[in-house]
């Protein structure tokens, strides 16, 4: 049994100066899409500041990540898998900016309640939607997937905002 592994050379990953090509392409995409200008125009930063979010409040999270070497190892290990996804996130970011600008002012406790309600709605969908046909099972799966993801995002968001705002 023979497995062939693609050997990657350093020349495949960096340019003549030594810059990571994938990161360089990502930053070029950010620049060409004018993402930072769109962030400024969306009012996201002003609303975050009005809600009490500042870079100084993010320092404890950065320090926490720096103290937990496992987090940094996981980030580094996940980089090859995450890099191909980032350009798509750059494309999706501008339409999401108004939603983020609104969400930053939501109290963490409200986000947590919404997350729990979303999980309860997912369970309710499993109970309320019969599973007699493939279409109904697909409906259950879609509902649980969407509501479960929304619930998880809300809970994670509430934890992050709670740590940032100290609530």
């Amino acid at each position: 049994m023979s497995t062939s592994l693609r050997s990657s050379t350093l020349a495949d990953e960096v340019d003549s100066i030594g810059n990571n090509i994938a990161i360089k392409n990502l930053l070029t995409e950010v620049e060409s899409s004018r993402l930072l200008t769109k962030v400024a125009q969306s009012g996201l930063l002003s609303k975050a500041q009005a809600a009490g979010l500042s870079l100084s409040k993010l320092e404890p999270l950065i320090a926490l990540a720096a103290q937990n070497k496992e987090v940094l190892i996981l980030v580094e290990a996940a980089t090859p898998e995450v890099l191909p996804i980032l350009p798509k996130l750059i494309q999706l970011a501008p339409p999401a900016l108004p939603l983020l600008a609104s969400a930053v002012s939501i109290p963490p406790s409200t986000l947590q309640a919404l997350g729990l309600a979303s999980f309860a709605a997912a369970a309710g969908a499993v109970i309320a939607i019969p599973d007699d046909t493939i279409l109904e099972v697909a409906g259950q799966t879609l509902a649980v997937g969407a509501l479960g993801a929304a619930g998880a995002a809300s809970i994670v968001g509430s934890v992050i905002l709670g740590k940032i705002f100290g609530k």
Side-chain angles (χ1 to χ4, degrees):
M1 179 171 166
S2 167
T3 31
S4 163
L5 297 176
R6 180 181 170 261
S7 66
S8 163
T9 64
L10 191 58
D12 293 338
E13 299 173 10
V14 297
D15 64 10
S16 61
I17 300 172
N19 297 318
N20 183 307
I21 293 173
I23 299 293
K24 185 177 178 181
N25 291 341
L26 177 68
L27 293 175
T28 301
E29 174 70 23
V30 167
E31 182 181 20
S32 66
S33 70
R34 301 179 43 89
L35 179 62
L36 298 179
T37 301
K38 292 175 183 175
V39 168
Q41 291 172 341
S42 73
L44 175 63
L45 300 176
S46 299
K47 290 180 181 176
Q49 188 174 14
L53 179 61
S54 65
L55 290 177
S56 62
K57 293 216 175 176
L58 294 177
E59 286 177 23
L61 290 177
I62 295 168
L64 182 65
Q67 291 170 354
N68 294 308
K69 302 296 184 206
E70 298 83 15
V71 172
L72 299 175
I73 291 169
L74 286 173
V75 169
E76 185 177 349
T79 300
E81 288 78 22
V82 172
L83 277 176
I85 298 169
L86 292 179
K88 190 63 176 173
L89 289 177
I90 300 299
Q91 292 173 352
L92 295 174
L97 289 173
L99 178 64
L100 289 172
S102 298
V104 77
S105 61
I106 299 173
S109 58
T110 303
L111 276 177
Q112 194 171 31
L114 289 172
L116 294 174
S118 185
F119 287 140
V126 171
I127 294 168
I129 300 172
D131 53 6
D132 299 331
T133 68
I134 293 175
L135 190 58
E136 291 170 339
V137 171
Q140 281 183 343
T141 304
L142 178 65
V144 169
L147 293 168
S154 294
I155 298 291
V156 168
S158 74
V159 169
I160 291 171
L161 287 176
K163 290 216 182 274
I164 292 171
F165 294 128
K167 295 178 182 176

